[in-house]
Amino acid sequence: MAVTYDLLVIGAGPGGYTAAIKAAQLGLKTAVVEKDKLGGTCLNRGCIPTKALLHASSQFAMMQRCDEFGVSVEGMAFDFKKMQQYKKKAVKSYRRGVEEQFEKLGIELIHGKAVIRRDCHVEVYTDSGKEYLQAKNIIIATGAQARMPDIPGINLAGVYTSDQLLGAGSWKFDRIAIVGGGVIGVEMATIFSSLCSKVTIIEQGSQLLGPMDQDVARALEKELKEKGISVYCDTTVSEIVERSDGLVCRVVRDGKEQDIAAGQVLMAIGRTPYMEGLLGEDVEFEMEQGRLLVNDRFMTSVPGIYAIGDVVADIQLAHVAAAQGTFVVENIAGRPHTIQLSVVPNGMYARLPVVPSCIYTDPEIATVGLTEEAARANGMRVVCGKYSMGDNGKSIISHERGGFIHLVFDAYSKILVGAQIVCPRATDMIGEMATAIAAGLTAGQLMMAMRAHPTYSEGIGMAIEDAMR
């Protein structure tokens, strides 16, 4: 006989475990099915391990220029194996925190492969056999997997996905080519460049970071090149060839073939929804371009079954999946929503996104809301304020003088509709801007709060003043 739950979550990544925790807090009998480790890709093979290695590699990079601060270090070196141990410790600590939440709230975690059947029944294949579950509601949160292009040489030894690269046990990356100039590609480039690897980024599009603000993309490319990273945009990889001294990416640029040598190659061209074996033959879901179609409540074409995160979203971010999970659970429980997904409260900008996007390069990049170009393309009249961080006191002290803060305001109401920040701590500072957009704050209201001196956030005040002038 099938065990029945109020909510069954399939996938224990940020979207899945956040939804489960919220459901249990609201009194719903909840279970989570996960075929791998609690935390999903983000915790185990994505966000957390990447940021741990970024932090470790940045410490080494900082020590290489410590002489300018009057600090001398002899015999400086890095131990990649120990860096990996530090990364694993960070992952384990974070995962234990989620496990404790599950235990405290009585959430049942079932390790196995789920198959959805009709009438909200689920078969789970575990090490000990098959279990039968039933739920009043199901949330699909199975995430995504690395996309691999169909090109000759893609299966050669030495060609990695980001998951595989993060799990490497020894250092063999003195020369690496990264195919893809999106978030994963530029963050990986930052890690390996900080560890003195010769890094080349190959991007098919006209700029790094795809649809992001052009000024931000140009600033990033400039910073990467200053660090010795080679950047090839408008370049397509046609083949990967193995030679005695490593691999070669054969590329096409400006209509001409060119060879780019690399010891290893990282494929970082994005991720595709993962639903392998999930849907039984007796259920049928509406899909589009490999994604599950959902309505404005994230319900699929099958009543009672919802989908969140990378299996439905164009924006594949952990905090987006978590926000969607909270939204769905509050809807199921009939509770008021505590999170705003896409509009400001006064409804003036019905399609205004309030999703912060953070990139942990050096310097950091963080954006939220509309860019100036997007606002004008949507017929909005805007005024913008910009401040160069080269004159910021904290930037001068830290010798991190690159970057800028760019704010976009509606020309009539002076309400903030977008922000792009390129500087140290940008990923922390963007929270203030996201809150301001969600609350519909004006330039005048934002100026009411003092910002401490010396801090990077003083630049926000300077950018607001520039817009008000």
Side-chain angles (χ1 to χ4, degrees):
M1 184 176 178
V3 180
T4 302
Y5 298 91
D6 295 319
L7 176 66
L8 180 64
V9 182
I10 302 176
Y17 71 67
T18 300
I21 290 170
K22 185 68 175 181
Q25 289 171 339
L26 295 178
L28 303 181
K29 183 180 179 181
T30 305
V32 177
V33 179
E34 171 57 54
K35 69 180 183 64
D36 200 351
K37 296 178 180 177
L38 180 63
T41 295
C42 176
L43 199 163
N44 297 290
R45 302 179 300 280
C47 312
I48 302 303
T50 300
K51 275 54 177 181
L53 285 182
L54 276 163
H55 180 71
S57 62
S58 69
Q59 299 302 301
F60 180 69
M62 182 180 65
M63 292 304 293
Q64 291 180 77
R65 57 185 184 86
C66 66
D67 186 64
E68 64 191 62
F69 300 107
V71 178
S72 298
V73 178
E74 294 183 4
M76 182 173 54
F78 70 88
D79 187 326
F80 191 67
K81 186 175 181 179
K82 285 187 177 180
M83 283 186 174
Q84 291 286 41
Q85 290 170 353
Y86 154 74
K87 177 207 73 177
K88 291 177 182 177
K89 185 177 180 181
V91 168
K92 185 177 180 180
S93 177
Y94 197 113
R95 186 168 56 237
R96 183 55 193 157
V98 180
E99 290 171 347
E100 289 173 354
Q101 283 274 74
F102 272 41
E103 292 165 4
K104 178 182 176 181
L105 294 167
I107 300 168
E108 185 176 355
L109 178 62
I110 304 168
H111 290 282
K113 174 70 176 175
V115 180
I116 299 174
R117 299 295 186 182
R118 64 183 178 183
D119 300 326
C120 286
H121 284 78
V122 175
E123 296 176 355
V124 181
Y125 295 84
T126 68
D127 290 341
S128 56
K130 187 192 298 185
E131 294 185 23
Y132 297 92
L133 311 175
Q134 186 173 15
K136 298 175 183 177
N137 301 279
I138 294 173
I139 294 178
I140 298 172
T142 48
Q145 62 184 348
R147 181 184 293 119
M148 297 295 280
D150 184 18
I151 60 174
I154 194 67
N155 294 317
L156 287 172
V159 179
Y160 293 79
T161 66
S162 58
D163 293 354
Q164 295 166 337
L165 199 64
L166 287 168
S170 59
W171 178 259
K172 47 187 173 183
F173 306 105
D174 291 329
R175 187 177 56 180
I176 184 168
I178 299 175
V179 182
V183 175
I184 295 173
V186 298
E187 287 188 349
M188 287 294 185
T190 300
I191 291 172
F192 288 96
S193 175
S194 295
L195 299 178
C196 303
S197 179
K198 173 60 179 173
V199 180
T200 301
I201 298 176
I202 305 169
E203 167 56 41
Q204 187 174 9
S206 60
Q207 66 174 45
L208 299 177
L209 303 178
M212 191 165 282
D213 179 77
Q214 291 181 7
D215 286 345
V216 171
R218 282 193 291 265
L220 173 63
E221 184 171 340
K222 179 175 179 289
E223 291 289 340
L224 293 178
K225 287 181 176 178
E226 287 181 356
K227 290 177 171 60
I229 298 172
S230 300
V231 178
Y232 294 83
C233 292
D234 288 315
T235 305
T236 303
V237 178
S238 59
E239 184 181 10
I240 301 173
V241 180
E242 187 174 23
R243 293 183 180 172
S244 59
D245 58 344
L247 300 178
V248 170
C249 288
R250 188 152 291 155
V251 304
V252 178
R253 190 185 192 198
D254 296 329
K256 300 178 181 178
E257 279 198 352
Q258 181 179 343
D259 285 353
I260 297 176
Q264 283 75 32
V265 175
L266 167 64
M267 301 305 302
I269 60 171
R271 301 180 69 82
T272 185
Y274 179 78
M275 291 178 286
E276 183 179 335
L278 176 66
L279 310 179
E281 63 273 7
D282 54 348
V283 290
E284 187 173 344
F285 291 81
E286 290 186 17
M287 300 182 68
E288 184 177 16
Q289 295 181 341
R291 289 187 173 89
L292 289 167
L293 284 177
V294 294
N295 62 18
D296 58 355
R297 294 180 296 125
F298 295 95
M299 185 182 288
T300 68
S301 55
V302 179
I305 300 182
Y306 301 81
I308 61 172
D310 294 357
V311 292
V312 298
D314 290 328
I315 304 175
Q316 295 181 329
L317 296 170
H319 49 276
V320 171
Q324 292 170 347
T326 299
F327 182 91
V328 169
V329 170
E330 289 173 342
N331 191 63
I332 290 171
R335 298 297 183 90
H337 291 298
T338 60
I339 195 159
Q340 196 74 28
L341 291 180
S342 62
V343 297
V344 294
N346 59 20
M348 288 181 64
Y349 310 107
R351 296 180 63 83
L352 182 62
V354 290
V355 178
S357 177
C358 299
I359 305 171
Y360 296 82
T361 47
D362 180 19
E364 292 182 348
I365 295 171
T367 68
V368 67
L370 299 176
T371 64
E372 181 179 355
E373 294 86 352
R376 296 191 192 282
N378 286 325
M380 292 179 60
R381 289 194 63 185
V382 296
V383 292
C384 301
K386 190 169 183 178
Y387 176 70
S388 170
M389 293 299 286
D391 297 326
N392 174 265
K394 189 66 178 288
S395 297
I396 292 171
I397 292 168
S398 65
H399 282 207
E400 298 281 356
R401 302 183 67 174
F404 59 85
I405 295 175
H406 187 257
L407 305 181
V408 185
F409 296 89
D410 176 81
Y412 300 105
S413 65
K414 300 301 187 292
I415 288 176
L416 182 71
V417 297
Q420 298 85 45
I421 304 177
V422 181
C423 72
R425 303 292 183 185
T427 58
D428 297 315
M429 294 160 59
I430 202 66
E432 177 186 351
M433 301 292 91
T435 300
I437 291 175
L441 298 185
T442 66
Q445 290 170 325
L446 280 166
M447 282 301 293
M448 286 183 173
M450 289 183 287
R451 294 170 178 83
H453 174 77
T455 61
Y456 296 117
S457 63
E458 284 182 285
I460 292 174
M462 302 300 292
I464 297 169
E465 286 187 5
D466 184 55
M468 294 175 72
R469 284 195 292 268

